[in-house]
Amino acid sequence: MRFTYAEAMTDPSFYAPLARAAEDAGYASMSIADSLVYPKESDSAYPYTQDGGREFLEDKPFIEPFTLIAALGAVTARIRFTPFVLKLPVRPPVLVAKQATSVAALTNGRLGLGVGISPWPEDFQVMGVPWERRGKRMDEAIDIVRGLSTGEYFEFHGEFFDVPAIKMTPAHPFPILVGGHSEPALRRAVVRGDGWMHAGGGDLDALLTRLNNIREQEGKAAAPFEVHVISMDAYTPDGVKRLADKGVTDVIVGFRTPYAKGPDTEPLAKKIEHLERFAETVITKAQ
């Protein structure tokens, strides 16, 4: 089992010392949140809060993921960084491929590219991208990012994107981890991805069962596949074992409620204390 430390929407100056502390404490990864804009007016509901509220996001600081990963990679040596998740279909996939291969090269392969479809129509609107057919756009974007990460000449001709034969240097492969709980998202993770990222909530056992069924259907049950989950079971050694027995490879843990409104007032020292205590009580005993 590997452990991912989650901290987002906090003081940006905290990220570097937190990444170093997490690496020293034995975490395998650190998740990096993505948010583009906060619309003044919106009828959209957030799919991962009980009431659909989005107000917890207002005035929270988000650093662009690739920028933050490059900065954190420069002050660490082993820990991996996993965007959780990058809103891929609102971005030009060729540019994403360049950003991802660049940070993978700079960090010596310490990137797991978590991608998903933004739940906000406003993200699509401000980026000049149609909301309709976003799933198909996502599929094409994943194929382009993967193809350009090989360093070989790659071309793509699809419904949304037309890419002539091109290649990128430096090239550095990285796993693509697909987030989402819907049937298309689970199938996308199996067919096009190297792993799945659980967003929290929902019936985790049912999601894992469906994921495994799709892997069987697609003939990929024996292929390497990362399964990242958020679960209260991750906070005890016995719970970690239960998750491992279900096929979970990575657990994502955090130590404050991310959906609280208002600024994060927890001091840096307290955050480091939390992550170190978890490492002592769970990580060391689960290995």
Side-chain angles (χ1 to χ4, degrees), residues 96-156:
V96 171
K98 185 62 178 180
Q99 292 170 311
T101 53
S102 295
V103 299
L106 286 173
T107 60
N108 195 26
R110 292 184 288 135
L111 171 69
L113 185 61
V115 296
I117 298 178
S118 172
W120 310 120
E122 293 83 4
D123 280 344
F124 287 79
Q125 180 183 3
V126 299
M127 295 298 290
V129 177
W131 171 254
E132 295 74 22
R133 301 277 290 159
R134 57 197 178 277
K136 175 62 175 175
R137 183 182 295 272
M138 172 79 160
D139 291 341
E140 292 191 9
I142 291 174
D143 291 347
I144 292 169
V145 171
R146 186 182 295 283
L148 289 173
S149 72
T150 65
E152 303 297 328
Y153 282 105
F154 172 80
E155 62 182 291
F156 184 90

Side-chain angles (χ1 to χ4, degrees), residues 1 7 9 12 26 50 61 66 134 141 165 175 185 200 203 227 244 247:
M1 182 68 73
E7 182 66 78
M9 298 177 283
Q50 194 167 20
F66 291 119
R134 57 197 178 277
D203 186 337
V227 179

Side-chain angles (χ1 to χ4, degrees), residues 151-201:
E152 303 297 328
Y153 282 105
F154 172 80
E155 62 182 291
F156 184 90
H157 308 287
E159 177 181 342
F160 298 103
F161 302 105
D162 194 77
V163 181
I166 57 174
K167 66 178 177 180
M168 290 184 172
T169 306
H172 204 300
F174 43 81
I176 297 177
L177 314 171
V178 179
H181 294 183
S182 68
E183 177 73 13
L186 296 174
R187 186 166 296 279
R188 184 175 293 119
V190 172
V191 173
R192 285 187 158 79
D194 303 294
W196 174 65
M197 301 191 85
H198 172 231

